[in-house]
Amino acid sequence: MLVFLNFSRDITETAAASPLCDVVIFYLSPCEGFIKGGADPAPECCVGAKRLIDELKAKEDRIEVCLCIKALLPQLGPFDPNRVPLLGQKCGIKNFFPPITPATDCS
């Protein structure tokens, strides 16, 4: 969780700069262990992921969140990009996000 918070200032000043990036970091910080390969997402992770999806009102919002996640994930160290959509499956969230890698086209 601290990694998400430590990089929040750097990320919001990069290509993922958006008001939503702070929200992404807040809601998904409990998911760090799962994204890095942990067994199951913590309940707090699922609550945060669901709240994040609930706040996305337009396609542009999803694009901004994707850009933020795309900028954040490499900062975590080794991770499996397939864990992002798996998070949606494990938490019961339809239409979460596809695998996100540095090559992902967020548009």
Side-chain angles (χ1 to χ4, degrees), residues 20 23 26-27 49-58 61:
L20 279 178
V23 174
F26 178 77
Y27 285 142
K50 287 176 184 176
R51 287 184 178 163
L52 175 63
I53 292 300
D54 288 345
E55 290 200 18
L56 303 180
K57 305 297 182 203
D61 295 338

Side-chain angles (χ1 to χ4, degrees), residues 28 45-55 91-93 96:
L28 296 186
C45 169
C46 289
V47 168
K50 287 176 184 176
R51 287 184 178 163
L52 175 63
I53 292 300
D54 288 345
E55 290 200 18
C91 294
I93 304 168
F96 193 62

